[in-house]
Amino acid sequence: MSSLLILKTRICLKYISPLFNPSTAGFTPLNNVISKLSVSSRLLCTKGGSRHAGNNRKEDRQREFNIRERLPFPKSVFASGTAKRTAEYQKKRAEEEPDFPRKNKRVKPPDHPLTASEWKSLKLTSPNPDRFDVRMMSSMLADGTDINVAKSLLAYVAMDTGTLSYELLLRYLTLCVGSGHHSEVFDMYDIMRSRFRTLDTGASSLFIKGFSRTERWKEALTILENIKRAITPSPRNYGDTIAGAVLHGDGDTAWALYAELMEKGLIPNQETWQALFQCGLSHQGHEDGLQSILLHMRDNQIYPEETLAKDIKAWFESLPEQKWIGSWSTVDPRGVCRSCQAELESIQLSREEYAQLKDRVMGDVIQGRDVFNKTTPEELESFKNFVKRKPAFDVVIDGLNVANIGIKGNQSQTLLEVVSELERQGLVILVLGRKHMQRPSRSWDRHDMSLVQQKAHCFFTDNISEDDPFLLYATLHSGNHCNFVSRDLMRDHKACLPDGATRRLFFKWQRGHQLVLSSYTPGKRVRFQRILSYDTIVQTNGGSWHIPYDENGAERCTYEVPQKWLCLTKAK
């Protein structure tokens, strides 16, 4: 074994020796010798082998909430960018922490090719010489370093160690693909195919991406087939081959690949859809396929990015004899498009949707496996009996959650003012709290809590119990008209639901029923964030399309929805 390793090393040194000038120990210009490096690299790898709602007691009341009518209220907690703005605001209010010097462990790559002696000196002065070559190549990837600098590093490592590791070559390949050096990608493909019987998925994915942009794009299809023999290709693998087919005018292959992607249950990325809409601009046909993409976005509550929205707009406007007109729009609080004046779909669930959601939440969240880790069957059953004896509620309040929005030491005052605001509107209120809230203390004034219990129905759980299952049960049990007040966005409970369709239904119900305090100042009027009356989802009535989209540069959390719309209407 050792003799074989020595033999390989000698061969490696034989091939890379032309890269250096022995008389001067200097580095020969890379343009003259890089072809030799590409050929010789076949022998520079040491690793061998393979790699690889139904009817309800109060639904006929149809009570209108003043909360929903107040137009001056701030944007919803679910509006795109709210989380980012909140984080920035909290950061400004926080006290500045002292700046402690941090050791920068990242290796800074040079801005020009180095000789072997220069690389060696840089390695010796590095704070951590271990894996110097891999960390340096990673830094080159992060900085987008010139390819010739990377080549000089490869030459040094080969000369110094007699080998180039697979890990180092893979990072070099990533740099070549990312910077569009196609000839180097071709060279690496030949080298790695001759050295390894099969390629791992990382290298295969890089070669698919690299080849799809060139005249050799069909070879990406072959690599894709090779991946299929071992695993299911990723959406990115399909997306790159689809983009390659579109780029070279083969729309039929692109759509065949897209159909295969969808049959496998994979989730396409936005670039794939963008490529297909661009294909529709240059090749007529596939109208049904492109509209199916929009319906897929609707069914899965997916929002196109602005670049994709622009291609969707351009495609609609290019359709012959249909005379579509696209415009960028917003929606007013009533749910009316400001461009075409059409009314968008309501955020309220249909009776069938509500009944479906109620059954799933009751079964999977409230009576699920984990609920009794934070409560007891006896307590939950006691609460169910309590709810049955009471009239249907109009609003359910997470008492402890709401109380903690105010100044510390005045929780009971905060809760009382929120309850008083809702009582002024004539609503039937349920407050969920903890038993410790009934014991007089600095935070929980006896008089305040007495007034709360006069104005609202109250149920106090054990101090270790979790409020959310009780809150969801009471709200859903009361009917589709009932809202709830909490700052908790219920992401953990939504995750407990068994499928994507039910989770999207829960999110739609949540956005139409959750009241969040927008601001609170003791002694002043309590204000809530506005509940939108319309659903933020791709929608069509045949004569128009309304597509919510993400603006370029916008940061939107998963529980937020876009605020900008693409309005598409047919000219009359």
Side-chain angles (χ1 to χ4, degrees):
M1 179 66 72
S2 60
S3 61
L4 179 61
L5 179 59
I6 294 172
L7 176 60
K8 283 188 176 182
T9 302
R10 287 175 179 172
I11 295 173
C12 291
L13 293 174
K14 174 183 176 182
Y15 277 96
I16 64 172
S17 58
L19 297 176
F20 299 92
N21 186 333
S23 61
T24 62
F27 190 71
T28 304
L30 282 165
N31 292 336
N32 299 335
V33 300
I34 193 59
S35 59
K36 295 181 180 180
L37 174 61
S38 298
V39 174
S40 64
S41 295
R42 291 186 178 92
L43 302 172
L44 302 184
C45 304
T46 59
K47 296 184 180 179
S50 302
R51 304 179 65 90
H52 269 117
N55 294 328
N56 185 273
R57 292 171 283 178
K58 278 202 172 182
E59 285 184 336
D60 56 352
R61 185 195 301 191
Q62 297 296 319
R63 185 187 299 275
E64 293 294 329
F65 290 91
N66 293 336
I67 299 161
R68 201 176 269 127
E69 297 174 356
R70 289 185 184 139
L71 303 186
F73 284 9
K75 288 183 178 179
S76 164
V77 68
F78 302 109
S80 176
T82 300
K84 179 183 177 182
R85 289 190 296 270
T86 301
E88 290 175 346
Y89 174 73
Q90 291 174 343
K91 183 178 180 181
K92 289 180 179 178
R93 294 191 62 185
E95 294 182 0
E96 293 187 4
E97 297 182 1
D99 293 329
F100 294 100
R102 297 180 179 179
K103 183 182 291 184
N104 186 6
K105 296 182 179 181
R106 184 170 175 271
V107 182
K108 183 69 176 176
D111 58 3
H112 62 278
L114 302 183
T115 64
S117 59
E118 288 172 331
W119 276 119
K120 183 176 182 179
S121 176
L122 186 60
K123 178 180 179 179
L124 292 174
T125 58
S126 172
N128 185 7
D130 295 338
R131 291 171 52 83
F132 170 81
D133 55 343
V134 174
R135 293 189 298 109
M136 177 59 72
M137 191 66 76
S138 297
S139 293
M140 292 183 185
L141 277 173
D143 289 2
T145 303
D146 182 81
I147 194 73
N148 289 317
V149 181
K151 290 177 181 178
S152 72
L153 174 63
L154 290 183
Y156 159 69
V157 174
M159 188 69 181
D160 184 52
T161 65
T163 185
L164 294 174
S165 69
Y166 185 91
E167 189 177 8
L168 181 62
L169 288 176
L170 194 61
R171 281 167 170 74
Y172 173 70
L173 173 61
T174 306
L175 183 63
C176 294
V177 172
S179 53
H181 290 281
H182 303 313
S183 61
E184 282 77 6
V185 173
F186 298 154
D187 288 341
M188 289 298 296
Y189 185 62
D190 294 336
I191 292 166
M192 298 183 77
R193 280 191 65 195
S194 66
R195 185 63 186 88
F196 303 105
R197 295 176 59 186
T198 58
L199 299 173
D200 72 340
T201 54
S204 296
S205 297
L206 285 168
F207 284 126
I208 288 176
K209 188 178 187 67
F211 274 73
S212 65
R213 302 170 178 176
T214 73
E215 68 281 358
R216 292 173 60 178
W217 70 275
K218 288 189 176 180
E219 293 183 50
L221 301 177
T222 303
I223 303 173
L224 184 68
E225 289 299 321
N226 292 335
I227 293 179
K228 291 180 191 177
R229 295 171 187 166
I231 60 171
T232 300
S234 69
R236 179 65 64 185
N237 295 150
Y238 276 105
D240 288 334
T241 51
I242 289 170
V246 170
L247 180 64
H248 296 88
D250 194 342
D252 291 339
T253 296
W255 279 102
L257 288 167
Y258 182 72
E260 187 177 308
L261 180 155
M262 297 301 290
E263 287 172 5
K264 293 182 181 296
L266 301 175
I267 301 175
N269 55 56
Q270 300 251 341
E271 291 82 358
T272 300
W273 287 325
Q274 190 171 357
L276 292 172
F277 274 98
Q278 290 173 351
C279 181
L281 282 169
S282 56
H283 298 83
Q284 295 299 324
H286 301 294
E287 283 85 359
D288 291 342
L290 291 170
Q291 291 198 12
S292 73
I293 292 176
L294 298 177
L295 295 176
H296 176 82
M297 292 181 182
R298 170 187 171 85
D299 294 340
N300 293 277
Q301 199 170 328
I302 297 173
Y303 307 110
E305 297 170 359
E306 187 172 344
T307 51
L308 173 55
K310 289 179 179 178
D311 284 330
I312 295 172
K313 178 177 180 290
W315 176 74
F316 269 97
E317 293 176 336
S318 73
L319 293 175
E321 301 179 0
Q322 294 196 29
K323 297 182 179 179
W324 285 93
I325 300 174
S327 59
W328 308 108
S329 183
T330 56
V331 179
D332 71 20
R334 301 168 300 162
V336 174
C337 173
R338 287 191 169 97
S339 178
C340 70
Q341 305 305 309
E343 186 174 348
L344 301 187
E345 295 179 25
S346 172
I347 192 68
Q348 297 301 316
L349 273 60
S350 66
R351 180 169 297 184
E352 294 75 16
E353 289 176 327
Y354 183 79
Q356 175 188 344
L357 177 67
K358 179 179 177 181
D359 289 342
R360 300 309 293 267
V361 171
M362 293 293 185
D364 294 299
V365 177
I366 296 172
Q367 297 173 342
R369 297 177 185 176
D370 298 330
V371 69
F372 296 127
N373 292 335
K374 298 178 180 179
T375 186
T376 63
E378 294 77 16
E379 185 176 44
L380 185 59
E381 193 61 31
S382 172
F383 179 68
K384 289 180 179 179
N385 292 329
F386 168 84
V387 171
K388 289 178 183 178
R389 296 194 304 268
K390 300 297 181 180
F393 304 112
D394 296 317
V395 60
V396 179
I397 301 175
D398 184 342
L400 192 60
N401 181 285
V402 168
N404 284 329
I405 197 176
I407 301 173
K408 188 174 182 180
N410 290 298
Q411 281 92 331
S412 60
Q413 179 186 350
T414 303
L415 179 59
L416 175 59
E417 293 193 14
V418 171
V419 169
S420 298
E421 169 61 28
L422 295 172
E423 186 210 23
R424 275 194 290 269
Q425 299 180 34
L427 304 178
V428 180
I429 306 165
L430 169 64
V431 173
L432 291 171
R434 304 275 178 88
K435 289 182 177 179
H436 73 83
M437 297 164 61
Q438 295 179 288
R439 295 195 295 269
S441 66
R442 179 174 176 268
S443 297
W444 303 101
D445 180 79
R446 181 192 298 273
H447 178 67
D448 289 342
M449 294 305 297
S450 176
L451 291 176
V452 167
Q453 294 179 68
Q454 292 176 30
K455 297 172 181 289
H457 302 276
C458 296
F459 187 90
F460 297 95
T461 67
D462 289 337
N463 293 328
I464 63 171
S465 297
E466 184 181 2
D467 302 303
D468 296 344
F470 295 90
L471 180 143
L472 292 174
Y473 179 88
T475 306
L476 288 167
H477 186 274
S478 293
N480 204 1
H481 73 286
C482 185
N483 289 346
F484 67 95
V485 184
S486 176
R487 293 177 297 159
D488 191 329
L489 295 173
M490 307 290 172
R491 283 169 283 184
D492 291 342
H493 302 295
K494 185 171 70 172
C496 292
L497 296 170
D499 58 84
T502 306
R503 287 191 289 270
R504 288 188 291 274
L505 208 58
F506 180 89
F507 185 48
K508 179 179 179 180
W509 170 80
Q510 180 186 6
R511 286 182 288 129
H513 292 81
Q514 182 167 0
L515 299 173
V516 179
L517 271 73
S518 61
S519 62
Y520 170 72
T521 303
K524 295 186 177 181
R525 187 76 178 267
V526 175
R527 292 193 174 276
F528 298 89
Q529 293 182 358
R530 183 175 65 242
I531 292 182
L532 298 179
S533 61
Y534 59 91
D535 195 5
T536 306
I537 194 172
V538 175
Q539 47 195 270
T540 181
N541 59 12
S544 69
W545 283 85
H546 287 88
I547 304 172
Y549 68 92
D550 285 323
E551 296 179 273
N552 289 338
E555 295 184 18
R556 178 176 57 82
C557 293
T558 56
Y559 59 84
E560 296 176 337
V561 293
Q563 301 299 292
K564 300 292 185 179
W565 292 73
L566 169 59
C567 170
L568 296 157
T569 56
K570 281 186 177 180
K572 298 180 180 179

